[in-house]
Structure formats: C-alpha cells, structure tokens
Amino acid sequence: MGNVKDMIAEGRTALGMELGSTRIKAVLIDEKYEVVASGSYDWENKLENGIWTYSLEEVWKGVRESYLALKEDVKKQYGVTLTAIGSMGFSAMMHGYLAFDRDGELLVPFRTWRNTITGQASEELTKLFQYNIPQRWSIAHLYQAVLNGEDHLPRLAHMTTLAGYVHWKLTGRKVLGVGEASGMFPIDTETKQFNERMIGQFNERIAEKKYPWTLSGLLPEVLSAGEPAGTLTEEGAKLLDPSGDLKAGIPLCPPEGDAGTGMTATNSVKKRTGNVSAGTSVFAMIVLEKELSRVHPEIDMVTTPDGSLVGMVHCNNCTSDLNAWVNLFKEFSEAFGVKADMNRLFGTLYNKALEGDADCGGLLAYNYFSGEHLTGFEEGRPLFVRTPDAKFNLANFMRVHLMTSLGALKTGLDLLFREEGVQADEVLGHGGLFKTKGVGQKLLAAAVNAPVSVMETAGEGGAWGAALLAAYMKDKNKDESLGSYLAEKVFADAKAVKLSPDPEDVKGFDAFIRRYAGGLAIERAAVDNLR
C-alpha cells in the first residue's frame, strides 16, 4: 500500500479510459501494470430521428464522472489527492462519424457504429477500392452523406471518431492510433498511414461536387503505438477535473479504438493470435500472416495498434437481449419478494445453460436489437421462436440466448477459418460474456472450434488496455515492439484458464447455426411487419 501511495503521489502511474457502448470506465495502473483504482459511468445510446447517437454533453459528463469516481477511489484507498499521472491513454467504441466545421462545432449529431444507414456507400466504395468498406466505417458515413446531398458538407473541415474527438479536446491534437484509424479508412500496412491510392480514388469520385476540401484534409494524423501524441493542456485538465487538482502536461499515447485496446489487454497483437470481445457488440480479431485471397464483405481488414494486418469480424448485437431476459427473471424474483443479487442471478442462469442440449433442443433466437450487417439486416427485432415439439426448458432457453449472441460472429469466423484457412494458435476471450467462469468460454470454444483462454485480467477490459498503451509509450525501450513489451513485461506471469472445444458442443453449435441460417427469413418477416 505504501509503495502504491508513493507511485500515485509521484505520478508514476498510467491512466486508461474507454468510452464503451454502455459504460465509460477509467483505471489507474501502477508500475506492475496492476489496477490500483477505478471509476465508471453508465450510459446508453439514444435513437433520435432514426440515428443511434450520444450527445457530446453526455460524453463529457461521462468522462468527468468516471475520472471523479477514480479520483475518489484513490483518495479513499490511499489518502492521496490525485494531481499527477505519468501517462494517459483514451479509447472508445470504433468507427462512426463526428463531423466538425472550422470553428470546431459539431455539424450533425454523432453517428455511432451501431447505425446501418450507409448500405449504398458501403457497396459502392467496396467496389471502387476492391477492399471491404463496412457500413459503420467513417468513410462510409461520409460518402453516404455525399450521396444524400447533405447540406453540412460544404462546411465540413474535420472528421474523427469518438476516441479521436476526446483526445483532440484534451490535447489540441487531431490524431488517431493506427488501429483506430483503420476503422475510418483503409490503412497501407507498409507505410502504416491511410492508403494514398484509395484517397485519390475517393477524391476523384466526388470531384464533380466541388467541395472546398479533400479527404486528406479531413482525416486525422495517424500514429503507431509508442509514438507521443501530445500532452494534456490546461483546458484539457479542466475538462477531466474541474476542481483544478489535476496538473497539465501529462503525455498521452495515440487514441485507440476498443478493438485495439482489446487486443492489447489480451496480449493478442502478434501473428496467429486472436481475441473475441463480447459485450453489447461482439467482435473477433485474428492477426493474419498474409492478405486474404479475396474481398469478403463479412470481414473487415484493420490493424493492431502497431500496424499489423488483422481480420476482424464485427457484429452489432451480442448481450443486450440476453441481459434483457436476465432482467425479466430479476423482475420475476422480486415479484415474489426475493431481492435478486445480479451477479448471482447471471451466474445461476448462465451455468444453467451448460445443462442444456448441445443444439439448444431445437430452440431458436435472434438477439438483433439493431441491424446486423453481417446477415443482411438494416434493422433488428429481438426474437424467440420454437416448434411445438422443441425441448423448451430453462437450460435450453438460456443456452439458445447465449449461443445466438455468438451466432452472427460464427457466421463470419467460419469464412476466415474454413474458407481462407486462417490459423490461430489460441483465441482469448474478454468482456461481459466471460464474467461467469467457464460458460461463455465453453460456448465460444465450440463456435470457433479452437482453444479459448480467459485471463484473470480479462474483466479489466479496454480501459486497462488503454492504460497499457500509455505505459508502453512512456516506458518502452528504444526498439522494443508492442508485442515484446506485452509478452515479456505485462503478461510474463499472467494466469489464464484455457478450455479446448468439446466435440459434442462443436457439433451442437454447427446444428444450431444451420437452424439460425435457415430461420433468418423469420427475422426478416419480423423486421418488415413489426413496427
């Protein structure tokens, strides 16, 4: 305790903050990379005028509240007022569209990754570049605005992501980490910068519009992990800590997306490693040994925070519907006068799923709170359906909702592993789906038919990954790669539980996926007819 107190007082710490879909979390780590304090703020996106968004006022309220909670945690545990921090890193949900004019004013409400309104742009740009451009990428949002003839475009001066926006306001620098940048526009993995050939193609495509900007002028500067990305300004310090206790001048690492911090937090930045982050959305990141044989609309080509090529399968929906069902059981419990402990409730229901049939007994569910591009849906309708003779019991009910949370993901990963022959020595799981030990892990192993490991640190998530990137920038040796730093320093003594796939579970998941694919017409009918 005394050593930690000294580290905090002397600013020998690193702070990481991640603005996730449902929670903003801040963590402070010591020189052993262990979390010594934390704070968080819960929030939800809103559907306004058909757009999934968060207000910028809510962004800063959440950032301040998270930092304040962390500061109070420091004071409570160590009796120290937090004034100095060795380095900082900020991360957020990737992609989306934040558009600003020359005065830094937001031109249209923040369009998050969750929106599926850029289908035409995605299709046209994929064809133009011969490179998959998913709907949620920033360039797809920009080009869809061009196709729509939106009136804010002549005033556009800068576009960025949520992580880039927060970093800009804290430091004054318009930069992005290369991993985050790869979700805005394709990266040239040789130069680790935006792809100049494709920038030229885009500018030529929209030349007739005669906008007073070119794409290069709109995009942030791209930096790799370990490069300095500015320092906390006086104004930035006040944004984080209005009390004035926090001192300016703290160095910041490049802002990264939740995919990059997830790879960092699971030691999955080297080739043939992979990780699955499962929370409100779910995505898998597999670090590739070579380019894929062809363009797959289901697979995004992004990078690690240090610029290595990654095959990413991203699905908009994961645990939201599952959580809604657990909350229904909470209401049921409380209707009987029994106050439910949520950790116990989740644990009990998740473990019950392991008693179910490997194929869920014929039950079928779709967890589509929002559209799911990977299976072709621009909108979603959470749905549970069964035949009269299906084995309808609590175990199968919970199992089908857990398995469907990975259903769209498995559809995409089957392309990587089975069609492209990509190999991963191990997949690491992190996020809310894995908090109940062994359950999400066992079902993911069945889905990918590969060993899945969960580290003891998995619950720390992206905020911890952001703190590690901040520590790497400040403490790395001259030529030390991110992969070496993580493997030899951060994770050298890390404990992980590895689970190999059960052959019966694999067969059961494959049977479920056949049912899942065959039933998509039911989901389509629900989207078309349920308003």
Side-chain angles (χ1 to χ4, degrees), residues 162-179:
L162 183 55
Y165 166 71
V166 172
H167 185 95
W168 167 36
K169 291 300 180 182
L170 295 178
T171 66
R173 291 194 63 184
K174 297 173 181 176
V175 302
L176 282 185
V178 64

